[in-house]
Amino acid sequence: MSQSASTGKTVLSQTPHLSQINVFPVKSVSGLSLSQSWVEKQGLCFDRRFMVAKKDGSMITARKYPQLVKVSATLQHNGLTLSFPGMSPLTLKYAEFSMNEADATVWSDTFSAYTTSSKADAWFSHVMDEDVRLLYTGEQSNRVRSKIQQNVSFADGYPLLVISQASLDALNERSMEQHTMDRFRTNLVVSGTEAFAEDSWKRIRIGEVEFEAIKPCARCILTTVNPETGEPHPLKEPLVTLSKFRADKSGDVFFGQNLVALNEGVIKAGDKIEVLETKSKEVYEDNGDEKLTLTCVEREDIARDFCTFWLEPTKQQSLPTYQPGQHLPLQLEINGEYVARRYTLSSSPSRPGRYAISVKRVDDGRVSNWLHDNLQVGDTLVAEKPDGSFHLGLHTDKLLLLSAGSGITPMISMLRYLADHDKVRDVVFHHQCRSQADIPYREELANLAAQYPQLKVIFVLSRPEADWDGLTGRLSESQLKYIPSLAERQVFVCGPDAFMTEAKTLLLNTGLPEANYHQEAFGPVKGNTEQATQSVTISVDGNLFQGDNQKTLLEQAEDAGLTIANSCRAGFCGACKVTLESGEVEQPDVPALLPGEKEEGKVLACCCIPKTDVEVRS
């Protein structure tokens, strides 16, 4: 036992040891935990000895086909059995493999592998919903990586990966959610170390085997795929959190260390980790933010099934400031599971000391309904500092704040901010909801309208009662006629997706400049779903093909049989950076685009979407 000088807490002194051994029989499928394993120089026995590939031998991974992670494997003495939800299991026996030589390509390495069986090809083709084949390395892989002068299986680049449990714990302390080790597809998990101790290891011995650490492991979009459901995380976690404290200057995100085995032998779970040689740790700039612990100090019903939760800091923390319209990232524990959500702040930064989120109960709304039913005065929440690109900014004159449903929350924050600074100069506040009982902030808005003649408040109801004498129905061109000087206004829109799509079409048709239109959106770019699908011509290094304005440039190039270098597929690493020679793309702000590169015509193929005919070169 010992005492930590920094915290004063008693901590257990532990011996670093191997706590878990994982193999992934087929590249990108789920892993198996073993009590012991034979280590070969090409990797752990049974690890990534199979790969799903296209007919030309190019690798298929869960980066693009996340359903692969739902394939599970069971090892047998003469082969293996693979399972996938809704399908009959596939049993493979080594003795039945056709073993015809076939080209295989993993990134830039092309080498000879072997075919398995038509039955395996058909099974995986059904899983992938396209024509694929299952390849086998053979007992000894023919792939030799020049960087390490060793044979390697179908693994991305190196035979083995090690991560300490303490490193995962350090990530989870910063993250809005609790992540499990299976997201990171590591072969070796070690316990009894400090966080990121593995960064300082140059040579280690486990059991009978000595390993050398070659380089940190760069992480990709696959870490954001839920290992159980195959669904990508909508906010790209945990990659986003890692990028705040484990990224280098180019934007690459690192977690874990790549290893090579210097000899063959047996390792067992529980084996001691002997550190034979150390190295200097890589240095990453820490851009993370301290988590906020917030206490609910008041619940305020603002309409039917619509509640404002007022939150104040629990600890001696000062609340970060924010822009009116930004949202608050929250972490909740619901039935033992950590869930992250973002709610727009309905409070105003002009009234410091407390935050407010206004939450509407919705059908099947897991978190919103939980908050209504469970978050009481005195309860606490964990949050990060507010963020978001949808906010008032410098706009204070000639505004239209247009909302529907819970989309009113950023609008009330903006209006409160303007009123507190006596800047309500020409504002139309237009809100759509179901009935009189569903109108939020009704009394407050009436008082503000009485105080500021320059404020015009409009409520439109879809299912009004008989005594309602205001506007009714869905947003329409006739309703917009009640808004003076519409084309001159800065317009902020928030509400359900269908409402925002209709609003944008109507507003632009009235002559509103697109630069004056500002729309709230959560989550990553998923394609140009606001715009009708249209065909575009795409040229990549002189190769022409037909595409559309819905999918990313990388996806469309791959669909056309072209290769663009890539790695993370999430805008973090910059491997897919290309130059836009002509045309326009929708390019979100992502870490791998450095200051000034957009102006130089640089775009990231993994996350930019063509808006017109485009020509790019790598």
Side-chain angles (χ1 to χ4, degrees):
M1 305 282 282
S2 64
Q3 192 173 64
S4 167
S6 60
T7 65
K9 294 181 180 179
T10 300
V11 296
L12 286 171
S13 299
Q14 298 186 54
T15 301
H17 63 279
L18 181 63
S19 55
Q20 195 171 347
I21 304 169
N22 301 315
V23 295
F24 304 85
V26 183
K27 185 178 182 68
S28 281
V29 309
S30 64
L32 291 168
S33 291
L34 306 177
S35 60
Q36 65 180 39
S37 179
W38 177 259
V39 181
E40 301 171 335
K41 289 190 176 182
Q42 61 182 339
L44 296 182
C45 192
F46 303 114
D47 186 52
R48 296 172 174 95
R49 301 305 165 88
F50 295 88
M51 180 179 78
V52 182
K54 296 185 178 182
K55 287 299 184 180
D56 64 359
S58 57
M59 69 177 181
I60 285 178
T61 77
R63 293 175 179 87
K64 185 176 180 182
Y65 301 91
Q67 68 266 37
L68 269 175
V69 302
K70 296 195 291 182
V71 176
S72 59
T74 303
L75 298 177
Q76 299 170 348
H77 71 282
N78 61 348
L80 68 162
T81 297
L82 299 165
S83 301
F84 185 79
M87 290 180 59
S88 298
L90 170 68
T91 298
L92 298 175
K93 296 181 179 179
Y94 297 116
E96 297 177 354
F97 290 174
S98 55
M99 294 299 289
N100 296 316
E101 284 198 21
D103 285 343
T105 301
V106 177
W107 299 116
S108 59
D109 295 338
T110 298
F111 51 98
S112 291
Y114 302 94
T115 57
T116 53
S117 69
S118 57
K119 179 175 66 172
D121 295 347
W123 193 86
F124 272 102
S125 294
H126 187 75
V127 170
M128 307 305 299
D129 196 27
E130 67 176 80
D131 199 13
V132 301
R133 56 177 22 178
L134 182 66
L135 299 180
Y136 174 50
T137 60
E139 290 188 14
Q140 174 65 56
S141 172
N142 295 315
R143 179 189 180 198
V144 178
R145 294 214 68 213
S146 58
K147 288 185 178 180
I148 57 176
Q149 288 301 304
Q150 281 192 197
N151 297 77
V152 181
S153 67
F154 288 125
D156 270 358
Y158 297 90
L160 298 107
L161 174 65
V162 62
I163 301 175
S164 70
Q165 180 61 44
S167 299
L168 178 65
D169 295 341
L171 165 64
N172 284 333
E173 286 179 4
R174 292 170 175 259
S175 178
M176 296 294 288
E177 300 181 38
Q178 297 299 292
H179 306 289
T180 55
M181 193 66 84
D182 52 359
R183 280 188 180 268
F184 301 99
R185 307 180 67 78
T186 185
N187 298 112
L188 309 178
V189 180
V190 298
S191 298
T193 71
E194 64 179 16
F196 305 108
E198 62 270 29
D199 288 356
S200 67
W201 297 343
K202 178 61 178 174
R203 284 189 306 116
I204 60 174
R205 180 182 292 116
I206 306 173
E208 300 176 352
V209 185
E210 186 175 323
F211 300 91
E212 181 179 358
I214 301 299
K215 66 182 290 292
C217 181
R219 308 317 309 225
C220 69
I221 195 69
L222 185 50
T223 60
T224 72
V225 176
N226 186 313
E228 296 181 359
T229 66
E231 294 293 326
H233 195 289
L235 299 176
K236 294 184 180 177
E237 288 292 352
L239 206 52
V240 167
T241 296
L242 283 170
S243 72
K244 295 178 180 178
F245 74 110
R246 296 286 298 178
D248 64 11
K249 292 182 180 179
S250 69
D252 278 341
V253 178
F254 298 95
F255 192 65
Q257 292 286 323
N258 289 303
L259 303 178
V260 296
L262 301 181
N263 64 285
E264 297 188 342
V266 175
I267 59 173
K268 299 178 181 179
D271 280 345
K272 177 183 176 182
I273 308 294
E274 298 178 68
V275 180
L276 306 176
E277 184 180 347
T278 60
K279 62 178 180 177
S280 298
K281 285 188 175 184
E282 294 79 9
V283 178
Y284 306 105
E285 186 175 353
D286 192 341
N287 296 310
D289 302 307
E290 182 183 6
K291 286 186 179 179
L292 304 171
T293 304
L294 305 174
T295 298
C296 178
V297 296
E298 182 183 351
R299 288 177 55 125
E300 177 189 2
D301 292 326
I302 58 172
R304 177 169 55 193
D305 291 331
F306 209 161
C307 182
T308 294
F309 299 90
W310 290 93
L311 309 168
E312 293 183 0
T314 302
K315 302 175 182 178
Q316 296 300 315
Q317 294 175 302
S318 57
L319 292 181
T321 189
Y322 57 98
Q323 295 283 345
Q326 289 188 310
H327 34 79
L328 183 69
L330 293 177
Q331 178 179 301
L332 310 168
E333 185 177 357
I334 300 178
N335 299 325
E337 179 184 353
Y338 288 90
V339 181
R341 288 291 188 275
R342 292 170 179 261
Y343 285 99
T344 301
L345 287 160
S346 51
S347 52
S348 169
S350 54
R351 307 174 191 182
R354 55 166 48 182
Y355 291 155
I357 57 170
S358 297
V359 181
K360 186 173 178 60
R361 187 188 289 273
V362 294
D363 293 339
D364 300 322
R366 180 185 181 192
V367 177
S368 59
N369 293 340
W370 186 91
L371 289 169
H372 274 263
D373 296 336
N374 294 278
L375 186 63
Q376 304 298 328
V377 172
D379 292 338
T380 60
L381 296 172
V382 175
E384 292 184 354
K385 73 175 185 179
D387 61 14
S389 58
F390 181 78
H391 53 78
L392 192 60
L394 300 176
H395 304 300
T396 57
D397 296 328
K398 285 193 176 297
L399 301 176
L400 168 59
L401 307 180
L402 178 61
S403 60
S406 58
I408 196 172
T409 53
M411 309 310 175
I412 196 68
S413 177
M414 295 177 186
L415 186 58
R416 286 169 170 170
Y417 180 86
L418 293 170
D420 289 348
H421 289 87
D422 198 26
K423 291 184 177 180
V424 182
R425 293 167 182 158
D426 183 355
V427 179
V428 176
F429 194 102
H430 185 292
H431 181 68
Q432 302 211 214
C433 55
R434 178 172 295 186
S435 68
Q436 288 95 316
D438 298 297
I439 300 176
Y441 314 109
R442 191 171 186 179
E443 183 177 350
E444 179 181 358
L445 287 167
N447 290 337
L448 286 170
Q451 182 179 353
Y452 294 99
Q454 308 93 328
L455 170 64
K456 182 176 184 178
V457 176
I458 301 172
F459 294 118
V460 183
L461 306 184
S462 60
R463 299 181 185 177
E465 297 175 5
D467 59 349
W468 176 253
D469 59 0
L471 296 176
T472 62
R474 297 174 59 181
L475 185 66
S476 64
E477 186 177 347
S478 62
Q479 290 178 12
L480 295 179
K481 292 179 180 178
Y482 288 89
I483 302 173
S485 308
L486 177 57
E488 301 174 15
R489 296 183 180 274
Q490 296 290 331
V491 179
F492 293 84
V493 181
C494 188
D497 289 343
F499 170 79
M500 291 193 290
T501 299
E502 182 67 17
K504 185 171 185 179
T505 300
L506 288 170
L507 288 163
L508 297 184
N509 286 344
T510 66
L512 180 77
E514 189 161 4
N516 289 19
Y517 181 90
H518 312 280
Q519 177 175 302
E520 173 63 300
F522 292 104
V525 174
K526 293 184 179 180
N528 253 341
T529 54
E530 296 171 16
Q531 299 182 11
T533 301
Q534 67 180 40
S535 177
V536 298
T537 300
I538 300 174
S539 172
V540 177
D541 292 331
N543 297 291
L544 289 173
F545 60 94
Q546 288 301 117
D548 59 37
N549 63 338
Q550 302 295 309
K551 296 170 67 176
T552 67
L553 177 62
L554 177 59
E555 291 175 312
Q556 298 193 66
E558 290 176 335
D559 291 344
L562 301 177
T563 300
I564 296 179
N566 67 89
S567 179
C568 77
R569 302 182 77 98
F572 287 94
C573 72
C576 65
K577 195 174 295 180
V578 294
T579 301
L580 182 65
E581 297 286 352
S582 65
E584 296 181 33
V585 300
E586 181 181 337
Q587 172 64 67
D589 290 325
V590 288
L593 270 185
L594 304 178
E597 287 192 324
K598 271 191 177 182
E599 291 72 19
E600 296 172 0
K602 301 295 185 183
V603 297
L604 296 180
C606 74
C607 53
C608 78
I609 298 171
K611 296 172 67 176
T612 66
D613 294 346
V614 295
E615 180 183 359
V616 301
R617 60 175 172 83
S618 56

